[in-house]
Amino acid sequence: MAAFTLMNDAIMIDSEDEKTDFFDDIRLEESSSVVVFFKRQSSFPAINIGHLGTSVDFHNNGIGMVIIEFVAGTFSQYRQAGCQFITVDALNNPRTVSFYLNNQFNFQTNPDFYSATRRMYRIL
């Protein structure tokens, strides 16, 4: 009824403008020492969900959401691979993008606006 793959990944921030946008989007609410340390980094460990798909017969039954919550829960609770984010390379169509936005993902970059896929992330 559904399938997905997982692999280690990282969010890489290349420029100061991207870094500013990134930190504005994630709205850190931790102590100031954690925020200062976090902002000095230029890459952040992540887990990538790839090839997430459900059978057409099971669309709109919440299976994709359950998979995302399973991955988020597993990597948050057990602190696997030091991950701070979940990433996806979402197909750039309204249905897929809407699905990920509704599941707490944000766009990582804007230059891929017209690409076949959009890089998205979710904080763990």
Side-chain angles (χ1 to χ4, degrees):
M1 85 173 58
F4 66 98
T5 61
L6 296 175
M7 67 180 175
N8 288 329
D9 195 10
I11 293 178
M12 307 296 285
I13 307 294
D14 296 326
S15 70
E16 286 302 314
D17 287 340
E18 283 182 13
K19 190 176 249 189
T20 299
D21 290 344
F22 181 72
F23 287 117
D24 286 347
D25 285 346
I26 63 173
R27 297 177 192 91
L28 295 171
E29 296 178 8
E30 299 291 328
S31 69
S32 61
S33 62
V34 170
V35 172
V36 169
F37 172 76
F38 198 72
K39 286 186 173 184
R40 282 188 287 194
Q41 296 177 254
S42 59
S43 68
F44 306 90
I47 190 71
N48 181 270
I49 300 176
H51 306 100
L52 173 60
T54 58
S55 170
V56 174
D57 295 339
F58 294 96
H59 279 189
N60 299 315
N61 286 326
I63 295 169
M65 181 184 71
V66 168
I67 291 170
I68 289 171
E69 292 306 320
F70 168 76
V71 172
T74 300
F75 281 81
S76 296
Q77 183 177 358
Y78 299 107
R79 303 200 182 272
Q80 298 293 313
C83 294
Q84 298 167 323
F85 298 93
I86 299 173
T87 59
V88 296
D89 295 301
L91 292 176
N92 194 5
N93 65 57
R95 182 179 176 147
T96 303
V97 168
S98 176
F99 167 78
Y100 284 111
L101 289 172
N102 289 333
N103 282 282
Q104 303 172 14
F105 283 80
N106 294 306
F107 297 110
Q108 183 179 331
T109 62
N110 288 323
D112 61 358
F113 185 79
Y114 294 107
S115 299
T117 60
R118 298 286 316 262
R119 181 83 165 160
M120 300 179 79
Y121 68 91
R122 174 180 162 167
I123 300 170
L124 284 177

